[in-house]
Amino acid sequence: MANNGENPSPDVGGKTVKLKADDGEIFEVEEAVAMELQTVKSFFDDDGVSYDTVVPLLNVSSTALAKVIQYCRRAVELRAKSGDDEGANEKAREEREGLEAELVREESDEGIKELILAANYLNIKDMLSFLCRAVGDRIKNKSVEYVRRFFVLENDFSPEEEERTRNEVAWAFEGVDAD
Amino acid sequence: MSNRLPRDLWTEILVSLPVKSLLRFQCVCKSWKSLIYTSTFISMHTQHSESADNYTHLLHCSSYSKKPYQLLQTDGSFNEFQELEYPCQMRGGDHRFVHDCKGLILFTTVIQDGLDGNRFERLTLWNPAIRMSMTLPRPRIDVPVPKYCIHGFGFDQTSNDYKVLRMVCDMYTSFPPQVELYRLRTGAWETITGVDDCFQYYLSAKTQAFVNGASHWVNVVWPMASCSPKRAVLLFDMCDEKLRVMKLPDHLSLGLGKTLDLGVSGGLLSLMENTKPHDVYLSCNIWLMKEYGVVESWTKQFTIDLEGWSCGWIFSFRNNEKILAWNRKNEKESVLYDPKTHRLIKVGGIKGKGYLFGKNTFVESLVLLDKEHTRCDSKKGKKRRERHACA
């Protein structure tokens, strides 16, 4: 059972938590990293739930979960680096932004949506926030038709209604990326 | 099978988009259009625009040559100045005074009405980002000669509302002004009462400095039997809608041969003190009120020695202050003075002096989209880019 080499090395020490993706694949993750996922944190906040329990994440694919874990792991590392020193904070912020850019750079539209759905379900605020910004950047110069496909939305305007709006703000339709 | 993002994520994604994209995406479907048009979304979007650091500065220049007024926009680097085309109904009009606040511009155009010399202004709000404008209902207080009207334009954080103030003052007396306030939310004017009549009012400043939720102007009176004027700051708090006076320290308040102008610099109230004994500009001191409301906190930032130059208002960009100055002999020549490096940078495209408004930062917003407004003809805004040439 491959898990992309994301398991912690045996001599890391500290507690780990087991997360199960929708296809049954298990990811063993350091506790600090697992707690970034608020859904997981809430799971263990309930009384009587032992840390040995495998957390079932039925709505998250193993591909997405692997990337989420990788991101959260590095985010936790970066947070540990920053402190009172403004220089260190600045550097950490830059690295953080680099990490975010790297995560979305190679992703297809479907891939980025899958990540958003995962981050949303797992309740990872910062990750969801930057993913939404990344989607915004991706669609801002796109056509209306592209956006409809991306968000899987039906055009419920009548042809006359749509035509009227397009004429009123014709200038907003200039300079749009070709589909 | 394509993944579908849930509705509750739409706002978070859309709020960071530029205005142009949102105007286009109102065509995506009816739910998106109604989301974009809600006042909650509009104010969230404006807020996001402000915190995102991509704001610009607006300058309104007037000179007495062929084209009277110019509305220019520049980013924080002051490298390029783009000329904005006025909205349709404003072209060719006498709109000498312009105010801006959080993405909206207020034009005041003087209208002469009737044979008795009665005047009022046509006030128009314009959002250049969405190219839509809205005329305010006719104000209730007329301005017959010898009265004059001073305007304030600001934003009330607590009620999330834009407000326009009119103070109708008397040129020959220092009686309390008649005051009325327009609120964008209600769409109506309301008379403001309770103006302190123990204070002498004389506002020569045509422009305000809007900071800390209040509009500020310089008030200058000549007390009886005194050889020195007395200056103070008059302010209107957009939140509690009250007119107040803020004293100035003696060295600014008293003394002949100086003119004071208020501005905003890095979120602080700033003051430009031009010393001009015998009507010749000599030097210009820039002051900052480090602690708002504390008279003693006025601190001198720097002094500019003027030799044949007149100073306009300060442009503030966080800590990157620049002063616009123009050559008194040759109106066409303008420079930006950088107080940190003491460099003068020639700027093309700004025709001379006059009233330069650029005290606040200007952000893109959707405000007015949900109001009844006029859409402009879709001509592209005229663009003129001017580059720096190092002096």
Side-chain angles (χ1 to χ4, degrees):
Chain A
M1 181 168 57
N3 52 19
N4 308 324
E6 292 299 340
N7 267 346
S9 51
D11 53 316
V12 153
K15 280 195 276 197
T16 62
V17 166
K18 291 195 185 68
L19 308 174
K20 185 162 83 167
D22 65 356
D23 58 0
E25 186 174 335
I26 308 264
F27 293 79
E28 193 165 351
V29 178
E30 302 83 11
E31 187 189 327
V33 175
M35 295 306 148
E36 290 285 296
L37 289 53
Q38 291 299 310
T39 308
V40 170
K41 188 166 185 293
S42 307
F43 181 87
F44 288 111
D45 278 347
D46 280 342
D47 289 336
V49 180
S50 133
Y51 276 86
D52 291 327
T53 318
V54 174
V55 185
L57 301 172
L58 303 168
N59 285 345
V60 188
S61 72
S62 47
T63 340
L65 189 54
K67 290 179 188 159
V68 164
I69 290 170
Q70 183 186 40
Y71 170 83
C72 289
R73 194 170 268 150
R74 290 184 60 192
V76 166
E77 280 169 17
L78 283 176
R79 203 175 310 134
K81 275 195 208 169
S82 61
D84 286 331
D85 179 353
E86 207 183 297
N89 274 343
E90 181 66 27
K91 188 162 186 294
R93 196 178 59 81
E94 278 173 17
E95 280 188 57
R96 174 76 170 279
E97 285 172 5
L99 170 66
E100 291 170 358
E102 203 186 298
L103 184 65
V104 299
R105 191 182 341 225
E106 299 293 318
E107 284 294 345
S108 64
D109 284 355
E110 286 310 309
I112 209 175
K113 280 193 278 180
E114 198 181 16
L115 281 176
I116 288 190
L117 290 168
N120 193 32
Y121 173 75
L122 296 169
N123 201 350
I124 314 165
K125 207 161 147 284
D126 288 344
M127 187 177 189
L128 185 60
S129 191
F130 92 77
L131 283 172
C132 286
R133 259 184 287 126
V135 167
D137 273 338
R138 207 174 261 227
I139 63 169
K140 69 183 176 198
N141 284 328
K142 296 282 190 253
S143 70
V144 168
E145 292 75 19
Y146 185 103
V147 169
R148 282 183 190 137
R149 283 196 301 271
F150 187 98
F151 285 86
V152 192
L153 292 168
E154 286 289 320
N155 176 13
D156 52 357
F157 285 112
S158 72
E160 296 79 32
E161 283 171 327
E162 188 171 346
E163 171 99 13
R164 199 182 328 130
T165 310
R166 281 181 183 255
N167 286 335
E168 278 170 351
V169 287
W171 57 273
F173 288 83
E174 292 164 11
V176 167
D177 292 348
D179 279 356
Chain B
M1 188 204 67
S2 186
N3 281 314
R4 194 158 196 265
L5 295 180
R7 183 181 279 250
D8 56 350
L9 289 180
W10 291 354
T11 302
E12 186 153 4
I13 294 172
L14 294 178
V15 89
S16 64
L17 291 180
V19 163
K20 186 179 169 199
S21 312
L22 290 170
L23 287 178
R24 192 167 65 249
F25 295 160
Q26 65 178 303
C27 283
V28 166
C29 65
K30 288 186 179 170
S31 315
W32 274 39
K33 182 170 180 167
S34 57
L35 171 63
I36 292 168
Y37 274 66
T38 58
S39 60
T40 325
F41 180 80
I42 292 174
S43 62
M44 278 180 69
H45 179 267
T46 310
Q47 213 123 305
H48 189 274
S49 251
E50 282 190 304
S51 61
D53 261 15
N54 56 352
Y55 46 80
T56 54
H57 294 271
L58 280 191
L59 317 172
H60 189 235
C61 314
S62 79
S63 75
Y64 307 102
S65 56
K66 253 191 301 191
K67 177 162 180 184
Y69 310 110
Q70 268 185 320
L71 196 57
L72 299 172
Q73 191 169 23
T74 184
D75 66 13
S77 65
F78 299 100
N79 277 330
E80 290 182 356
F81 290 87
Q82 281 190 331
E83 183 163 352
L84 291 180
E85 183 96 15
Y86 288 114
C88 355
Q89 69 265 47
M90 304 307 308
R91 285 171 209 157
D94 178 11
H95 34 269
R96 189 168 300 183
F97 303 112
V98 164
H99 301 77
D100 72 272
C101 177
K102 263 168 96 100
L104 276 191
I105 298 178
L106 175 74
F107 287 101
T108 61
T109 313
V110 177
I111 310 270
Q112 202 87 17
D113 177 36
L115 305 159
D116 52 3
N118 214 352
R119 299 171 307 171
F120 60 96
E121 320 83 66
R122 186 176 63 227
L123 295 156
T124 310
L125 283 174
W126 180 41
N127 183 341
I130 62 173
R131 304 193 192 180
M132 293 172 189
S133 63
M134 186 182 92
T135 303
L136 269 53
R138 179 179 163 157
R140 304 204 277 182
I141 306 170
D142 282 345
V143 193
V145 174
K147 292 198 191 273
Y148 63 97
C149 185
I150 299 286
H151 296 93
F153 181 39
F155 184 78
D156 171 10
Q157 300 253 129
T158 55
S159 64
N160 226 349
D161 197 12
Y162 292 80
K163 297 181 182 175
V164 179
L165 182 81
R166 290 179 80 239
M167 290 189 294
V168 179
C169 316
D170 194 300
M171 210 176 300
Y172 298 120
T173 70
S174 44
F175 291 160
Q178 291 170 283
V179 182
E180 62 177 340
L181 186 70
Y182 171 86
R183 302 182 192 93
L184 187 60
R185 274 198 193 281
T186 62
W189 290 99
E190 185 182 321
T191 309
I192 300 286
T193 54
V195 177
D196 181 6
D197 55 7
C198 298
F199 183 72
Q200 290 178 293
Y201 297 86
Y202 194 82
L203 296 164
S204 55
K206 303 294 187 284
T207 67
Q208 61 169 19
F210 182 75
V211 71
N212 268 26
S215 297
H216 303 74
W217 309 266
V218 175
N219 192 76
V220 187
V221 288
W222 287 81
M224 295 246 282
S226 166
C227 43
S228 163
K230 198 159 162 16
R231 305 177 188 89
V233 173
L234 187 66
L235 69 102
F236 185 82
D237 186 327
M238 289 294 170
C239 177
D240 65 11
E241 298 178 353
K242 295 229 184 308
L243 207 55
R244 290 196 182 85
V245 175
M246 197 155 65
K247 291 205 180 115
L248 284 171
D250 281 349
H251 59 87
L252 287 172
S253 165
L254 307 170
L256 298 167
K258 57 177 120 178
T259 55
L260 303 185
D261 293 304
L262 288 173
V264 179
S265 182
L268 297 176
L269 189 62
S270 68
L271 199 143
M272 185 177 272
E273 179 195 5
N274 272 303
T275 54
K276 46 175 243 174
H278 317 299
D279 226 38
V280 177
Y281 286 97
L282 274 195
S283 73
C284 177
N285 296 321
I286 309 297
W287 299 80
L288 273 190
M289 188 175 220
K290 295 275 185 165
E291 260 186 83
Y292 187 76
V294 176
V295 179
E296 301 78 28
S297 73
W298 281 104
T299 315
K300 194 190 292 195
Q301 297 295 106
F302 49 84
T303 303
I304 311 169
D305 282 313
L306 305 168
E307 292 162 8
W309 293 89
S310 286
C311 275
W313 272 257
I314 304 170
F315 297 138
S316 66
F317 173 60
R318 302 287 154 91
N319 298 314
N320 190 16
E321 288 155 345
K322 291 205 170 46
I323 316 273
L324 190 78
W326 57 83
N327 191 330
R328 306 199 81 220
K329 297 206 184 82
N330 174 11
E331 228 180 56
K332 295 204 181 83
E333 214 181 317
S334 310
V335 291
L336 273 182
Y337 172 77
D338 187 336
K340 287 215 176 78
T341 64
H342 302 288
R343 278 176 65 223
L344 285 174
I345 310 161
K346 273 213 189 87
V347 180
I350 300 182
K351 288 204 178 64
K353 60 167 192 159
Y355 306 99
L356 290 163
F357 311 85
K359 302 176 186 180
N360 296 318
T361 52
F362 191 79
V363 289
E364 265 207 345
S365 86
L366 292 166
V367 178
L368 290 194
L369 187 67
D370 56 341
K371 307 267 177 232
E372 249 185 63
H373 48 246
T374 324
R375 285 186 174 89
C376 284
D377 45 35
S378 340
K379 270 194 224 155
K380 271 193 203 163
K382 186 166 53 152
K383 282 185 186 168
R384 181 147 32 104
R385 287 166 206 267
E386 301 294 343
R387 310 233 97 209
H388 274 158
C390 287

